Amino acid sequence: MTTETTTQDATRHLDLAASGTPHLRTVTSRMKNPALLVPGGAKALAELGQMAHGQGVSAATLEVVHLRVSQINGCGWCIDYGMRQARKAGESEDRLASVAAWRESPYLSEAECAALELAEAMTRLADSPDGVPDAVWDRAAEHWDEQALAALVLHIGVTNLFNRLNVTVRQIPGTW
């Protein structure tokens, strides 16, 4: 390794450190996941996380919604976990890669796009004067009945909860 390479690496490391943004090489968890420390927390959250399944929204839709919400919130742990789960469930790389730019994606259905739009609105409540605009809700309601909408809203809320827990304690992606 040359002196120039070493200097470039050191400068790059300083630039990353100065940004204030944690990076995988340097991130350490602040603590275990809170659900593991509070008695009954892990079981309650696991059960809450499963409630939306089997309620009229496809598993594929729930997977892409989880991924998008986690992308918005910058939850590396949930993105990593969600990608692994989606792949195990047979999701294609094309569909998974297109979630971040879902509005331009040819791989997602109209129903999935409506779910993603709802997920974005619910995740970014402060970005709209009326929280979730009626037009966003109405597009989702075109695709699902009340039971399925309830499941979708619950799933989005639970994903946001998991994201907030994991980001706060800096849960390391890939740790289980």
Side-chain angles (χ1 to χ4, degrees), residues 49-74:
Q50 290 302 308
M51 290 176 70
H53 295 271
Q55 302 298 319
V57 181
S58 73
T61 298
L62 295 176
E63 293 289 355
V64 297
V65 163
H66 171 86
L67 182 57
R68 183 65 188 132
V69 170
S70 299
Q71 289 170 340
I72 292 167
N73 288 323

Side-chain angles (χ1 to χ4, degrees), residues 12-29 170-173:
R12 184 170 161 263
H13 177 72
L14 289 173
D15 289 343
L16 295 176
S19 74
T21 303
H23 298 276
L24 185 58
R25 288 179 292 296
T26 60
V27 173
T28 56
S29 289
R170 292 187 179 154
Q171 187 73 30
I172 306 295

Side-chain angles (χ1 to χ4, degrees), residues 93-124:
E93 292 300 318
D94 289 334
R95 282 176 46 84
L96 294 174
S98 73
V99 170
W102 62 267
R103 286 174 178 85
E104 291 83 31
S105 174
Y107 304 109
L108 301 167
S109 71
E110 289 298 317
E112 288 169 326
C113 288
L116 290 166
E117 185 178 27
L118 179 62
E120 286 189 0
M122 284 181 62
T123 301
R124 295 177 166 149

